Amino acid sequence: MSFRNGAPVDTRAPGHEAENSITQNGFKITTQKLPILKAAPIEEMTKQLGITPPEMIFGDNFARVDHVASGWRIEFNAFDALDRVDKTGDSMLKVSYSKEWQQNRQKQFEDIKEVVKPFDWSYSTDYKGSTPDTPKLEPTTKPIPLELLKRPDPILFFDDVVLYEDELADNGIAMLSCKIRVMPARLLLLSRFFMRLDDVVFRIRDTRVFVEFATGEVIREYTAREEKYEVVRKTLAGTKEDVLAIMRDPNRLAEYIPIVEKTTDTVKLK
Amino acid sequence: MSSGGCDLDKAIQQLRACRPIPENQVRELCHKARELLIEEGNVVGVDAPVTICGDIHGQFHDLMELFRVGGDVPDTNYLFMGDFVDRGFYSLESFLLLLCLKVRYPDRITLIRGNHESRQITTVYGFYDECLRKYGSANVWRYCCEVFDYLALGALVSGAATSLVPTDGPMAENTNLDNFPDSDADIEIETLNANGEIMYRYARNSDSQSSQPNSNPASSSPIAPTPSRVGPAGTGATSSANGSVKNDTGAILCVHGGLSPLIDTIDKIRLLDRKQEVPHEGAMCDLLWSDPDEIEGWGLSPRGAGFLFGADIVKCFNYKNDLSLIARAHQLVMEGFKEMFESTIVTVWSAPNYCYRCGNVAAILELGEDGSNAGYQRRSNGDQGGGGGGWILGSNDGSSSNMVGNGNDRRLSSVLGDNMQRTRDGPGRRYRVFEAAPQDSRGMPAKKPVADYFL
């Protein structure tokens, strides 16, 4: 066992098996789930990204679909997702009580004005997965065939992989995770970024990847939703629902948050 | 419920089995706890030996594991640095058990406040919902919140030993004995696993870096060796510039979050009016919320609220207040603990597999009792604003090192002999690292995700 300032660096909590995989009709589906990164790899990642990674960074985790014959693949991992987070601070949000906090502080400490390493600390990403340059996904108007996915076909493989999560210093939550289910004839992968900044804003950014094994058709849909916290709260207050519970559940929240961006693209693999 | 009586022992027994106690008992317990806590200052004085613990977050079974690893109350003297509640599934049982133990053995357990011990935060992050679910009303939550307002803001540990009495235990598997210091060496750091087996030992002043971090080629770690600056750095301060003279260690300040620009002496913490909800601003807020960071001086968090503080701030504060170490919690660390700024501050994290999914280990920090320096007169805290003419920190040219060079307080230097260019030796530190308790089936998330027809 090796150490870093007295702390063991290779501890691993039990109950975490690393890789899971299944091959179905020429597509290999792999997920990996490991504990959050340790101090040394976090430092390495910080250097490479140029921003502080989220508090819970599952840097070894991924979900991947490989098309064995063509070598094409789509992978979802934390590093690539975080690489698309704004690193300049241009789209930086502020916590709800920031104004109040700063007004009082600035009078007291005129010398402490510098914001340390500004970046989008909500870790909002428009990540749609990592793919090779060729063959390229091209825009399409054809939607993912939901009816085929509503059928109760047997699920041969299922996993839910968290890529990162941050509690926004107890001001809400930011979380990127991937769900995948593989049926005999097709698969669906959903990568979801969910962010709630308390009293400020909600964001849900979904990337869905659909693969029809027989035809080699891949459809990728990206849907971004966003709404002000207060607007959502007011809408929910008018319902008989448990407002706090819904605000924690992106599945139920989605219908209360309007779509602000949607793109669809596709590729046919041979 | 009579204090110290068998009712209290019954309640402790029931809570140890993770069963909540009736509402009327909670009310009585909270009332007693308040009477006790109101007598405590904002900064509680604690004598070593003591075992310092970080965030618990309602992970009751892991708290039980902590007691198994660290020893039971009252055999072991404990100091918990807050964040007892929220996130985990058993905030109620965890907090009430700690509170019962506090009322039963007030001198053997110290509880200080974390940022989660607040009405506002608990309504969002689980404790409120849990109370409502388990009692059908918010009364118990309300009683607990009233106790939160009386929790101390910090603790000051005195009488800690500079070196550890080496654990006379077996070596953990994979421990590289070549790296171990001699048996007569002055042990500064020791890391033990949950079975009490020695995983790591570091001698003070050892030039050879007896246990060079990451140097073990047999390690199964997939991680590349860390760059040299992070390897031995954590212990660098204490291993440099010091002869063989054994010094008394300074006191150890324990707070949940960190320092505040409004607080330059511990006495200023003592003057705060703490009996209130955690405010959004001011020194009390900072003590519970701020974080150390690799910066110079003070900085603002990019979130628009909250302070960050650098190594120079910690070193100045420690010097001025005659501290050898600040122990804090508040931030998740994979390894269970993390020493920063040449071991002048340490983060201790005591919730293994945080939120039942992070896979991190937890740690507790044991400080031994100083037997060798009984006659030493401890300097009272904060009465003399530093000084120590000629004393130089690694980076004291920043604007914040205002205490350097008034040169009229020579006491520290006389203690240290000729060497004035260093801060106090840190206390001997024994870290016990442990993993999550085997999870039971009640309400725990299944390890295998349940397949669902998501769209």
Side-chain angles (χ1 to χ4, degrees), chain A residues 1 3 5-6 36 38-40 43 95 98 101 104-105 114 116 121 153 165 167 169-170 172 181 208 248, chain B residues 87 115 125 129 174 191 199 213-214 231 280-282 286 289 300 302 304 306-307 335 354 357-358 453-455:
Chain A
M1 186 166 285
F3 286 87
N5 297 349
I36 53 169
K38 296 161 194 75
E43 265 174 44
V95 300
S98 165
W101 194 91
N104 291 306
R105 293 310 171 119
E114 197 190 339
V116 177
W121 51 270
D153 296 327
E165 185 175 341
E167 298 167 345
D170 296 315
R181 62 178 164 111
R208 287 180 176 78
R248 284 193 283 259
Chain B
R87 311 278 185 200
N115 63 306
Y125 294 99
D129 290 345
N174 301 329
T191 308
M199 304 197 294
N214 295 325
H280 268 320
E281 43 150 7
D286 299 340
W289 282 90
L300 293 175
F307 283 115
E335 289 83 356
Y354 180 46
R357 62 175 173 275
C358 280
Y453 285 88
F454 69 88
L455 287 174

Side-chain angles (χ1 to χ4, degrees), chain A residues 68-254:
Chain A
V68 182
S70 69
W72 185 88
R73 64 158 55 172
I74 185 161
E75 176 178 303
F76 291 81
N77 65 63
F79 185 91
D80 290 348
L82 290 169
D83 208 25
R84 297 195 57 84
V85 168
D86 169 60
K87 299 172 183 176
T88 62
D90 288 347
S91 52
M92 211 156 66
L93 296 162
K94 293 244 188 287
V95 300
S96 57
Y97 50 86
S98 165
K99 215 174 192 174
E100 172 196 352
W101 194 91
Q102 289 190 336
Q103 265 175 2
N104 291 306
R105 293 310 171 119
Q106 265 155 13
K107 277 178 239 145
Q108 285 167 338
F109 312 103
E110 302 226 323
D111 49 330
I112 310 173
K113 274 195 185 131
E114 197 190 339
V115 171
V116 177
K117 303 168 213 158
F119 70 100
D120 179 9
W121 51 270
S122 76
Y123 298 102
S124 297
T125 181
D126 62 353
Y127 184 53
K128 303 175 185 72
S130 311
T131 52
D133 293 336
T134 54
K136 210 173 156 35
L137 287 143
E138 302 290 347
T140 180
T141 52
K142 185 181 173 183
I144 290 175
L146 282 181
E147 287 314 310
L148 288 175
L149 290 166
K150 284 179 182 163
R151 295 174 11 181
D153 296 327
I155 293 176
L156 309 175
F157 178 96
F158 181 91
D159 214 347
D160 193 348
V161 181
V162 180
L163 297 180
Y164 62 78
E165 185 175 341
D166 196 279
E167 298 167 345
L168 309 182
D170 296 315
N171 283 291
I173 185 173
M175 183 167 177
L176 179 69
S177 60
C178 260
K179 266 185 182 186
I180 186 161
R181 62 178 164 111
V182 181
M183 284 72 63
R186 54 192 65 87
L187 72 80
L188 179 66
L189 182 154
L190 167 60
S191 159
R192 168 168 284 168
F193 172 77
F194 172 57
M195 196 274 287
R196 184 192 76 236
L197 182 55
D198 289 335
D199 298 314
V200 180
V201 73
F202 284 99
R203 279 181 189 154
I204 300 176
R205 295 174 179 179
D206 288 340
T207 301
R208 287 180 176 78
V209 178
F210 168 84
V211 180
E212 185 73 25
F213 299 136
T215 59
E217 185 179 41
V218 177
I219 304 175
R220 176 172 71 176
E221 241 175 51
Y222 172 77
T223 313
R225 297 171 184 269
E226 180 159 337
E227 185 56 277
K228 287 197 186 75
Y229 186 98
E230 193 48 28
V231 174
V232 176
R233 199 194 58 78
K234 274 191 181 140
T235 312
L236 287 171
T239 67
K240 281 183 176 162
E241 304 282 0
D242 178 346
V243 177
L244 274 175
I246 293 188
M247 283 185 172
R248 284 193 283 259
D249 183 356
N251 288 321
R252 301 183 61 193
L253 264 174

Side-chain angles (χ1 to χ4, degrees), chain B residues 37 40-46 52 79-82 102 110-114 148 150-157 252-259 266 269-270 272 274 283-284 287-288 317 326-328:
Chain B
L37 293 170
E40 290 187 344
N42 292 347
V43 182
V44 188
V46 174
I52 299 170
L79 198 169
F80 286 87
M81 297 190 288
K102 175 70 191 172
T110 305
L111 307 176
I112 64 177
R113 192 171 191 175
F148 294 163
Y150 286 83
L151 290 170
L153 304 177
L156 195 63
V157 178
I252 296 98
L253 177 70
C254 304
V255 287
H256 179 72
L259 298 175
I266 289 172
I269 306 178
R270 299 184 206 276
L272 298 172
R274 78 168 190 269
M284 180 168 158
L287 292 168
L288 271 56
F317 186 88
I326 294 174
R328 45 92 62 174

Side-chain angles (χ1 to χ4, degrees), chain B residues 131-145:
Chain B
C131 291
L132 214 59
R133 198 170 60 244
K134 289 176 178 169
Y135 289 96
S137 84
N139 290 341
V140 164
W141 173 76
R142 220 168 282 128
Y143 302 146
C144 291
C145 288

